[in-house]
Short mmCIF file of all heavy atoms in Angstrom, two decimals:
data_model
loop_
_atom_site.label_atom_id
_atom_site.label_comp_id
_atom_site.label_asym_id
_atom_site.label_seq_id
_atom_site.Cartn_x
_atom_site.Cartn_y
_atom_site.Cartn_z
N TYR B 163 12.26 -6.56 26.25
CA TYR B 163 11.29 -6.91 27.26
C TYR B 163 11.23 -5.93 28.40
O TYR B 163 10.22 -5.76 29.04
CB TYR B 163 11.60 -8.30 27.83
CG TYR B 163 11.16 -9.45 26.92
CD1 TYR B 163 12.06 -9.96 25.97
CD2 TYR B 163 9.89 -9.91 26.98
CE1 TYR B 163 11.65 -11.00 25.17
CE2 TYR B 163 9.46 -10.96 26.16
CZ TYR B 163 10.32 -11.51 25.22
OH TYR B 163 9.94 -12.49 24.41
N SER B 359 7.78 -12.01 32.55
CA SER B 359 8.17 -10.78 31.93
C SER B 359 7.14 -9.73 32.18
O SER B 359 6.00 -10.00 32.51
CB SER B 359 8.41 -11.04 30.42
OG SER B 359 7.26 -11.61 29.83
N TYR R 128 19.09 -14.15 25.14
CA TYR R 128 17.85 -14.70 24.57
C TYR R 128 16.73 -13.70 24.79
O TYR R 128 16.49 -13.26 25.93
CB TYR R 128 17.52 -16.05 25.16
CG TYR R 128 16.28 -16.62 24.49
CD1 TYR R 128 16.30 -16.92 23.13
CD2 TYR R 128 15.11 -16.78 25.21
CE1 TYR R 128 15.17 -17.38 22.55
CE2 TYR R 128 13.96 -17.29 24.62
CZ TYR R 128 14.01 -17.58 23.26
OH TYR R 128 12.87 -18.03 22.63
N GLY R 198 1.62 -10.47 26.15
CA GLY R 198 2.65 -11.47 26.27
C GLY R 198 2.09 -12.81 26.55
O GLY R 198 0.97 -13.02 27.04
N THR R 199 2.89 -13.81 26.10
CA THR R 199 2.39 -15.21 26.14
C THR R 199 2.01 -15.64 27.60
O THR R 199 1.08 -16.39 27.81
CB THR R 199 3.52 -16.12 25.61
OG1 THR R 199 3.75 -15.72 24.27
CG2 THR R 199 3.12 -17.59 25.60
N GLN R 200 2.79 -15.17 28.55
CA GLN R 200 2.46 -15.61 29.92
C GLN R 200 1.07 -15.18 30.32
O GLN R 200 0.30 -15.94 30.90
CB GLN R 200 3.53 -15.08 30.90
CG GLN R 200 4.85 -15.77 30.65
CD GLN R 200 5.81 -15.41 31.76
OE1 GLN R 200 6.10 -14.21 31.97
NE2 GLN R 200 6.40 -16.42 32.38
N TYR R 224 9.41 -24.80 27.87
CA TYR R 224 9.52 -23.37 28.15
C TYR R 224 9.16 -23.03 29.57
O TYR R 224 7.97 -23.16 29.99
CB TYR R 224 8.65 -22.63 27.17
CG TYR R 224 8.67 -21.12 27.30
CD1 TYR R 224 9.87 -20.43 27.52
CD2 TYR R 224 7.51 -20.36 27.22
CE1 TYR R 224 9.90 -19.08 27.61
CE2 TYR R 224 7.52 -19.00 27.31
CZ TYR R 224 8.69 -18.35 27.51
OH TYR R 224 8.71 -16.99 27.60
N TYR R 262 0.90 -28.73 26.28
CA TYR R 262 1.61 -27.54 25.77
C TYR R 262 2.79 -27.97 24.91
O TYR R 262 3.66 -28.70 25.45
CB TYR R 262 2.03 -26.65 26.92
CG TYR R 262 3.00 -25.56 26.48
CD1 TYR R 262 2.58 -24.33 25.99
CD2 TYR R 262 4.41 -25.80 26.57
CE1 TYR R 262 3.48 -23.36 25.58
CE2 TYR R 262 5.31 -24.78 26.15
CZ TYR R 262 4.80 -23.58 25.67
OH TYR R 262 5.72 -22.61 25.26
N THR R 264 5.70 -27.06 21.45
CA THR R 264 6.34 -26.06 20.59
C THR R 264 6.73 -26.83 19.31
O THR R 264 7.95 -27.09 19.12
CB THR R 264 7.57 -25.46 21.28
OG1 THR R 264 8.35 -26.49 21.91
CG2 THR R 264 7.17 -24.47 22.32
N PHE R 269 11.24 -25.73 22.17
CA PHE R 269 11.98 -24.87 23.09
C PHE R 269 12.34 -25.71 24.27
O PHE R 269 11.47 -26.29 24.92
CB PHE R 269 11.17 -23.66 23.50
CG PHE R 269 12.04 -22.69 24.25
CD1 PHE R 269 12.75 -21.71 23.60
CD2 PHE R 269 12.22 -22.84 25.60
CE1 PHE R 269 13.56 -20.84 24.34
CE2 PHE R 269 13.06 -21.97 26.31
CZ PHE R 269 13.72 -21.00 25.67
N ASP R 297 2.43 -23.46 20.84
CA ASP R 297 3.19 -22.20 21.02
C ASP R 297 4.09 -22.07 19.78
O ASP R 297 5.10 -22.74 19.61
CB ASP R 297 3.99 -22.19 22.24
CG ASP R 297 4.71 -20.88 22.52
OD1 ASP R 297 4.72 -20.00 21.62
OD2 ASP R 297 5.30 -20.69 23.60
N TYR R 299 6.02 -19.60 18.71
CA TYR R 299 6.70 -18.28 19.02
C TYR R 299 7.62 -17.76 17.98
O TYR R 299 7.77 -16.56 17.85
CB TYR R 299 7.33 -18.41 20.37
CG TYR R 299 8.48 -19.44 20.41
CD1 TYR R 299 9.78 -18.99 20.53
CD2 TYR R 299 8.25 -20.79 20.26
CE1 TYR R 299 10.81 -19.93 20.54
CE2 TYR R 299 9.25 -21.71 20.26
CZ TYR R 299 10.55 -21.30 20.40
OH TYR R 299 11.60 -22.17 20.37
N THR R 327 2.91 -14.72 18.94
CA THR R 327 3.51 -13.54 19.61
C THR R 327 4.22 -12.67 18.60
O THR R 327 4.67 -13.16 17.56
CB THR R 327 4.51 -13.94 20.69
OG1 THR R 327 5.06 -12.77 21.34
CG2 THR R 327 5.67 -14.79 20.15
N SER R 329 6.81 -10.96 19.64
CA SER R 329 8.06 -10.65 20.31
C SER R 329 9.30 -10.98 19.48
O SER R 329 10.35 -10.40 19.66
CB SER R 329 8.13 -11.41 21.66
OG SER R 329 7.16 -10.87 22.55
N LYS R 330 9.15 -11.97 18.61
CA LYS R 330 10.28 -12.35 17.82
C LYS R 330 10.20 -11.68 16.40
O LYS R 330 11.18 -11.15 15.89
CB LYS R 330 10.36 -13.87 17.60
CG LYS R 330 10.28 -14.64 18.88
CD LYS R 330 11.48 -14.49 19.77
CE LYS R 330 11.18 -15.00 21.17
NZ LYS R 330 12.15 -14.46 22.18
N ARG R 337 5.07 -6.06 23.62
CA ARG R 337 4.32 -6.86 24.59
C ARG R 337 2.95 -7.22 24.02
O ARG R 337 1.93 -6.89 24.61
CB ARG R 337 4.21 -6.18 25.95
CG ARG R 337 5.48 -5.73 26.60
CD ARG R 337 6.58 -6.82 26.70
NE ARG R 337 6.24 -8.06 27.38
CZ ARG R 337 6.22 -9.26 26.79
NH1 ARG R 337 6.50 -9.42 25.51
NH2 ARG R 337 5.90 -10.30 27.47
N SER R 339 0.88 -10.39 22.23
CA SER R 339 0.77 -11.77 21.74
C SER R 339 -0.76 -12.05 21.54
O SER R 339 -1.58 -11.19 21.85
CB SER R 339 1.44 -12.76 22.70
OG SER R 339 0.80 -12.70 23.94
C1 LIG I 2 8.86 -20.85 23.96
C2 LIG I 2 8.52 -19.44 24.00
N1 LIG I 2 7.27 -19.06 23.82
C3 LIG I 2 6.86 -17.77 23.82
C4 LIG I 2 7.73 -16.75 23.91
C5 LIG I 2 7.33 -15.34 23.83
O1 LIG I 2 6.82 -14.82 24.96
P1 LIG I 2 6.19 -13.33 24.92
O2 LIG I 2 5.04 -13.37 24.00
O3 LIG I 2 5.81 -13.13 26.34
O4 LIG I 2 7.29 -12.41 24.49
C6 LIG I 2 9.13 -17.03 24.12
C7 LIG I 2 10.10 -16.00 24.30
O5 LIG I 2 11.03 -16.03 24.97
C8 LIG I 2 9.48 -18.41 24.13
O6 LIG I 2 10.79 -18.78 24.21
#
Side-chain angles (χ1 to χ4, degrees):
Chain B
Y163 282 92
S359 53
Chain R
Y128 181 63
T199 300
Q200 293 188 302
Y224 181 42
Y262 167 86
T264 45
F269 189 90
D297 185 351
Y299 64 112
T327 179
S329 293
K330 309 295 165 198
R337 305 309 303 117
S339 61

